Amino acid sequence: MKTRDATCQNVTVIWYFYVAQSLFGAYCTSFTWNYTQLSPAADSEMTTIFYAEPELVLGHGRKVLFLNPNDLQIFKDIELPADLTTCGLKIAAADATEEQQQPVGSEKAAAGANLEVSIVNVSYSPDRQLIALTTAGQKALLLYKSRPEHAKLLSVRALARASSALAFAPDSSSVLVTDKTGDCYRYDCVELEAPPQLLLGHLSIVYDILWTPDQKHIITCDRDDKIRVTNYPATYDIHSYCLGHKEFVSGLALLTGTEHLVSASGDKTLRIWNYTTGKQLLQHELPAPAVRLRLRDLLPAKRYQVAVLFYEHVEAIGLYELALDEQSKDIWTVARQQMVRAEAGSWNISCFALTSDSIYVAGALDERLTLRVYNSSDGEQAKTTVPTGWLDMVTEHFADQTCVPEDLSVWFKKRYDNVSDYMERKKRRIEDQQHQQKS
């Protein structure tokens, strides 16, 4: 199976649908219209937060803070310029393949320079020497050297389209970037001038991407319910699929020391797979659709803690302890679970980070970035371990930037049934014919 550009695939699928509809008319069965969202809503601001021991990384707008939650210090910070062309971004290259209509020539470059820069994804390399981040507005991949203390900018590379996920190779030699149309590109972190390499494409947006420790497989999940395991470097060859989810797959995590993978989905399930065979090992029902997933090792290859952010539920986050049966080696159970309310409903929660004893939750309150901390043990707000003043000090760094969360409702498929309408019209037509025959 050869890799094709996901954009061309989307156009082809839509073209075939219209041809089929014109040929068969009302005989077309009910269908799911699965459009691809090309970019976040114009008024939304992405927020990202994760824990890479001992640092808590928080990114929003044009700033990234690297915090130490243990001694309440700020390691370092990154602030992007309002115009990335001032640090080397070439606007023309970034927008050359953009699908929407753009100005041409110098007017096009000027229009690109006026786009608001906003951070979408942030990632640390496994060796902790590099930091990669992607931006919306002026779409770019920025690579920083994390040491010494203040991050040093190494390169600014244009992206063809808005990014959706970001992941480093296990050896930190390259970084993978997926975009809103489902394409996945590899960017070299050694030869910084090397052009990006298109590795694979999906028919819909990719929500998460992983690289296995042996670098033999790239694992992606998308809005079309699929988890795909692609061979590397021969990415034209698909190794396996993990199929079973009924809605978008929002997050993936590898269970270290095994060939197993955990996934969370909008179909209200948490599942574990053997990604080499595509076999499902566990399905656990969740109280609501899952839109974010975090994992922490408790005992490598045996026990893990998985945290899931729910979509519009009275409980914001669910904590699940996964245990592997030591005799069978492929039977998993949920040994323990804990719900974290996190004042759900009183503010808009965007994402969270999981540490050994705390959950750092980021969201929006009155269009301002808000950060709160909860205990993993009981789900209660951590009022003694983390001073409120420190949290206020952290969010004050983002006071000049609005925080409007992404509209996650667009992740769900839009379903339309044209069979019922056809059957109703057919019934009326038959009744009319019978009436005419009687008269």
Side-chain angles (χ1 to χ4, degrees):
M1 183 181 296
K2 295 185 177 180
T3 302
R4 295 174 295 173
D5 187 281
T7 305
C8 295
Q9 290 176 320
N10 285 337
V11 173
T12 302
V13 168
I14 294 172
W15 180 80
Y16 275 124
F17 169 75
Y18 280 117
V19 170
Q21 190 179 45
S22 63
L23 290 175
F24 301 107
Y27 292 101
C28 291
T29 60
S30 60
F31 65 93
T32 298
W33 183 253
N34 188 11
Y35 65 89
T36 298
Q37 184 193 17
L38 293 179
S39 61
D43 59 348
S44 67
E45 290 284 347
M46 305 294 289
T47 302
T48 181
I49 184 172
F50 63 91
Y51 183 66
E53 191 174 2
E55 295 178 65
L56 181 70
V57 183
L58 175 63
H60 177 73
R62 292 189 289 110
K63 297 179 181 178
V64 184
L65 295 184
F66 298 81
L67 314 166
N68 187 334
N70 296 319
D71 60 13
L72 308 181
Q73 298 295 318
I74 297 179
F75 281 124
K76 55 180 169 285
D77 65 277
I78 296 174
E79 183 169 3
L80 304 183
D83 181 4
L84 293 182
T85 60
T86 60
C87 57
L89 177 65
K90 298 178 181 179
I91 291 293
D95 294 339
T97 59
E98 189 65 44
E99 296 177 352
Q100 61 187 17
Q101 185 177 356
Q102 295 280 359
V104 296
S106 60
E107 295 181 357
K108 178 177 181 177
N114 292 329
L115 293 173
E116 183 176 355
V117 176
S118 178
I119 294 170
V120 179
N121 305 107
V122 182
S123 181
Y124 241 134
S125 64
D127 62 7
R128 296 293 189 270
Q129 296 300 309
L130 299 173
I131 302 165
L133 61 88
T134 59
T135 59
Q138 293 180 348
K139 297 177 286 293
L141 168 67
L142 292 88
L143 188 66
Y144 291 84
K145 184 177 181 181
S146 62
R147 302 290 186 267
E149 290 300 318
H150 298 289
K152 176 184 177 182
L153 181 63
L154 299 178
S155 68
V156 182
R157 285 175 272 191
L159 298 178
R161 304 176 187 89
S163 65
S164 61
L166 177 69
F168 271 98
D171 62 2
S172 305
S173 63
S174 57
V175 63
L176 299 179
V177 179
T178 60
D179 63 34
K180 297 291 182 176
T181 62
D183 286 345
C184 174
Y185 290 87
R186 173 187 173 274
Y187 290 83
D188 201 300
C189 295
V190 179
E191 299 294 334
L192 300 180
E193 299 299 324
Q197 178 187 6
L198 177 62
L199 297 183
L200 57 95
H202 281 245
L203 289 174
S204 63
I205 182 173
V206 173
Y207 286 128
D208 206 355
I209 184 168
L210 301 174
W211 215 328
T212 57
D214 58 8
Q215 293 191 211
K216 292 183 178 180
H217 304 99
I218 295 172
I219 307 176
T220 48
C221 64
D222 63 20
R223 190 168 178 259
D224 285 337
D225 326 335
K226 296 190 303 298
I227 301 172
R228 173 171 148 182
V229 183
T230 305
N231 289 326
Y232 182 82
T235 54
Y236 54 81
D237 183 17
I238 297 176
H239 181 81
S240 65
Y241 281 100
C242 300
L243 302 177
H245 282 298
K246 301 297 189 296
E247 262 291 355
F248 61 83
V249 185
S250 55
L252 302 171
L254 290 170
L255 303 178
T256 54
T258 72
E259 293 182 337
H260 299 168
L261 170 82
V262 60
S263 63
S265 170
D267 65 3
K268 303 181 183 179
T269 64
L270 182 74
R271 307 189 190 213
I272 296 179
W273 315 80
N274 182 321
Y275 63 80
T276 60
T277 64
K279 179 183 178 181
Q280 180 176 296
L281 305 178
L282 172 71
Q283 176 177 331
H284 183 75
E285 299 298 324
L286 301 174
V291 293
R292 300 279 189 264
L293 181 145
R294 292 286 185 266
L295 180 136
R296 186 172 69 89
D297 289 7
L298 299 178
L299 189 60
K302 293 183 179 180
R303 300 181 81 87
Y304 302 85
Q305 184 181 52
V306 174
V308 174
L309 176 64
F310 298 126
Y311 176 74
E312 294 187 350
H313 190 256
V314 64
E315 306 286 356
I317 298 171
L319 300 178
Y320 302 90
E321 186 175 317
L322 305 177
L324 177 64
D325 187 296
E326 296 186 6
Q327 295 181 348
S328 67
K329 298 300 183 182
D330 63 354
I331 297 178
W332 289 87
T333 58
V334 177
R336 180 178 178 271
Q337 63 183 41
Q338 169 73 47
M339 294 297 165
V340 181
R341 188 172 295 271
E343 289 93 14
S346 64
W347 61 312
N348 295 309
I349 298 174
S350 300
C351 50
F352 68 97
L354 189 64
T355 70
S356 58
D357 55 6
S358 302
I359 307 169
Y360 289 78
V361 184
L365 181 63
D366 298 328
E367 296 190 357
R368 288 293 179 266
L369 180 65
T370 303
L371 183 64
R372 297 176 181 173
V373 188
Y374 300 88
N375 300 320
S376 298
S377 58
D378 57 13
E380 297 298 322
Q381 191 164 0
K383 297 181 179 180
T384 57
T385 56
V386 180
T388 304
W390 182 75
L391 296 176
D392 294 338
M393 181 272 293
V394 170
T395 55
E396 186 63 27
H397 284 77
F398 304 92
D400 60 337
Q401 302 174 59
T402 59
C403 183
V404 181
E406 180 184 5
D407 179 13
L408 299 181
S409 66
V410 301
W411 289 22
F412 294 88
K413 294 178 181 178
K414 312 301 179 185
R415 291 179 169 85
Y416 302 90
D417 183 8
N418 64 348
V419 175
S420 299
D421 291 340
Y422 165 71
M423 296 302 294
E424 182 64 27
R425 292 195 303 271
K426 181 179 179 181
K427 179 181 177 181
R428 289 199 300 266
R429 185 170 65 251
I430 294 174
E431 290 175 350
D432 291 341
Q433 292 175 351
Q434 291 175 345
H435 179 71
Q436 291 176 1
Q437 291 175 356
K438 291 181 180 178
S439 60

